[in-house]
Amino acid sequence: MRIIIYLSIVIFFSSCSYVDSLFIKEIKTDKIYKSPKISQKSQNEILVSKEAKVKTNLVNFQPDKPKEIQVKPKSNLLIPYKKIAFIGDSHLASDYIPEYFRKALNIHSLGFVPAILPKWHNQYLADYNNLGFNVEYLINTKTNLSFGGINANCNAKCEINIHLKFKANNVEYLEFKSGIWNIKNYQKNTNQINFSTTANKIGGFITNNSSYIDNLGINGASIFNYSRIDYNLAKSVAKKLDYDLIIFSFGTNESVSNKINQENFINNYLNIIELFKTKKSKIILLIPPEPTLFVNKNYVKGENNALVKTLIKQVAKTSGVYIFDIDNLMQKEGGKIAWINDKKSLKNTHLTKSGYEYVAFRLLEFLKITKE
């Protein structure tokens, strides 16, 4: 019996040796990509819909209520990041991956709090009970979107009521009034955001805490509609938040579109990176898991999946950043069907809660490999 146990342990650890092959690492060179200066007008005219007709059935991703075994985060990880942002599509909108990071790294606060959330979105560290607002975001609004891509739009009298599950040091808020975004002071040392407003837009709250893990994921987001964010505001807020790690998730909605302009895909992605990063930001681009659509009573793979993977790798090479390939991880472990059987994936494009936690677990392993 002791011999059998010993052999089992040896086999297990030897099987873990393939972890490095799951990820593509683009080493940063001395040549730094500089994004061309783009006016607000041209930002808003970058072929938002003509180049990628995104299937809207991916927009309304409702977080599942799983019964799967969860992957428990390891504590005391030696990863030197204190200000982290997850930016991108519906693979982040559930807040599963960011919340796993918060528990693993023992960082339980937000640096940026959206003023309102679209349907099916989630923030583990903020409870919303706002009244009177309409939601404006990347999918339904073309101009003047706040940092992160979501506005709370008030046409009459509205109330903001947000309970934060942490203490915010010195809260500021983003207000759009008379055609201009401004950053205004709100309150110090609070976990409650409560005030009334009329006939303007509120674009979110900055906490000015010393460490945080933010989720800026939006259902249906693609690199083609991020040009709708107010460029000057985004740069100002990004400077304040000063993220030292940014993880981008794009490519799912592009993979299921029926047309992709390759040059615009690359240029837009590079511009998004420049929009949010600061000098010290480490950047990781996720290659999403195999996207599938329900067509004619069958699940079919996104027709541009292979092309999008190639384009993301080109973006990483051009900008000198890292790639974490979720799709390759899935294929190494038996593919989509195997992950469905293991309760790590739904039949559609999205993973289960335990699947996203597993991805977060492997991503943390990857960060230990690539720490600088």
Side-chain angles (χ1 to χ4, degrees):
M1 178 61 71
R2 291 181 179 177
I3 294 174
I4 294 173
I5 293 172
Y6 175 78
L7 289 174
S8 299
I9 294 171
V10 171
I11 291 170
F12 171 77
F13 281 102
S14 63
S15 67
C16 294
S17 63
Y18 75 95
V19 65
D20 290 349
S21 66
L22 297 175
F23 314 113
I24 302 166
K25 181 179 178 183
E26 299 291 348
I27 304 297
K28 189 169 292 186
T29 63
D30 292 335
K31 183 179 180 180
I32 300 175
Y33 171 81
K34 293 185 178 180
S35 176
K37 292 184 178 179
I38 300 176
S39 67
Q40 183 63 52
K41 181 178 180 181
S42 60
Q43 278 281 334
N44 293 329
E45 292 175 349
I46 299 179
L47 298 177
V48 173
S49 59
K50 291 183 180 179
E51 302 300 345
K53 298 178 180 178
V54 178
K55 306 289 185 179
T56 56
N57 60 338
L58 288 184
V59 173
N60 294 324
F61 166 49
Q62 182 177 9
D64 59 304
K65 298 179 180 178
K67 298 180 180 178
E68 306 85 3
I69 298 173
Q70 297 183 357
V71 183
K72 293 183 179 180
K74 295 180 180 180
S75 60
N76 301 320
L77 290 173
L78 298 176
I79 296 177
Y81 305 108
K82 300 296 182 183
K83 299 179 179 181
I84 303 172
F86 291 83
I87 298 169
D89 55 27
S90 58
H91 289 299
L92 303 176
S94 63
D95 206 25
Y96 293 148
I97 294 177
E99 180 64 5
Y100 188 96
F101 265 62
R102 296 182 193 114
K103 291 177 180 178
L105 302 179
N106 197 28
I107 299 174
H108 300 285
S109 61
L110 301 173
F112 182 77
V113 183
I116 196 169
L117 292 179
K119 193 176 183 181
W120 309 133
H121 289 60
N122 188 37
Q123 286 275 8
Y124 274 98
L125 295 182
D127 291 332
Y128 291 80
N129 189 27
N130 297 354
L131 300 174
F133 287 100
N134 295 320
V135 181
E136 295 182 344
Y137 68 123
L138 292 169
I139 307 306
N140 65 11
T141 303
K142 292 184 178 181
T143 59
N144 297 323
L145 286 171
S146 173
F147 180 85
I150 302 174
N151 298 343
N153 182 32
C154 181
N155 294 318
K157 185 177 181 180
C158 307
E159 292 183 11
I160 288 181
N161 299 287
I162 304 175
H163 172 67
L164 304 176
K165 300 175 185 178
F166 62 94
K167 184 75 72 172
N169 288 340
N170 184 15
V171 181
E172 298 173 291
Y173 67 98
L174 311 180
E175 181 184 57
F176 185 81
K177 198 169 185 179
S178 301
I180 301 173
W181 280 106
N182 292 296
I183 301 176
K184 295 189 172 184
N185 292 325
Y186 171 63
Q187 189 174 335
K188 295 182 178 180
N189 302 320
T190 184
N191 65 347
Q192 293 291 145
I193 298 174
N194 301 302
F195 65 89
S196 298
T197 185
T198 57
N200 60 358
K201 305 178 196 292
I202 304 299
F205 301 86
I206 303 168
T207 68
N208 288 291
N209 283 14
S210 59
S211 62
Y212 36 80
I213 298 178
D214 290 343
N215 171 22
L216 304 177
I218 296 179
N219 283 326
S222 75
I223 55 98
F224 294 98
N225 52 31
Y226 260 74
S227 61
R228 300 174 176 187
I229 292 176
D230 185 279
Y231 185 82
N232 293 328
L233 174 71
K235 292 300 293 183
S236 295
V237 176
K239 185 177 180 180
K240 272 180 167 287
L241 293 167
D242 197 23
Y243 295 120
D244 51 22
L245 173 65
I246 307 177
I247 299 170
F248 292 96
S249 174
F250 291 102
T252 295
N253 295 297
E254 292 84 353
S255 292
V256 297
S257 66
N258 54 19
K259 183 181 179 182
I260 296 177
N261 183 304
Q262 298 182 41
E263 182 178 359
N264 277 305
F265 181 99
I266 292 172
N267 289 336
N268 284 5
Y269 209 153
L270 292 170
N271 286 330
I272 292 171
I273 293 172
E274 289 295 316
L275 190 67
F276 291 99
K277 81 171 188 177
T278 56
K279 290 182 179 180
K280 69 178 183 180
S281 297
K282 181 171 183 174
I283 308 293
I284 298 177
L285 312 183
L286 301 183
I287 292 182
E290 178 182 307
T292 54
L293 292 172
F294 192 66
V295 180
N296 296 327
K297 299 182 179 180
N298 292 301
Y299 287 97
V300 296
K301 191 172 182 177
E303 59 184 276
N304 283 312
N305 183 51
L307 172 59
V308 167
K309 290 182 68 171
T310 300
L311 295 175
I312 293 174
K313 292 174 184 178
Q314 182 59 51
V315 171
K317 183 176 181 180
T318 301
S319 56
V321 301
Y322 292 91
I323 283 177
F324 181 89
D325 193 336
I326 302 173
D327 188 53
N328 194 29
L329 174 62
M330 176 186 285
Q331 302 311 320
K332 288 278 188 179
E333 297 184 353
K336 181 79 170 177
I337 294 176
W339 273 34
I340 291 172
N341 292 336
D342 289 342
K343 299 187 183 301
K344 288 190 288 194
S345 178
L346 302 174
K347 290 183 179 180
N348 62 26
T349 291
H350 301 102
L351 305 181
T352 61
K353 182 175 185 288
S354 63
Y356 285 118
E357 290 177 340
Y358 176 68
V359 168
F361 171 77
R362 299 305 295 270
L363 184 52
L364 284 166
E365 287 185 335
F366 178 62
L367 280 167
K368 287 193 290 184
I369 294 170
T370 63
K371 68 179 181 179
E372 297 171 350

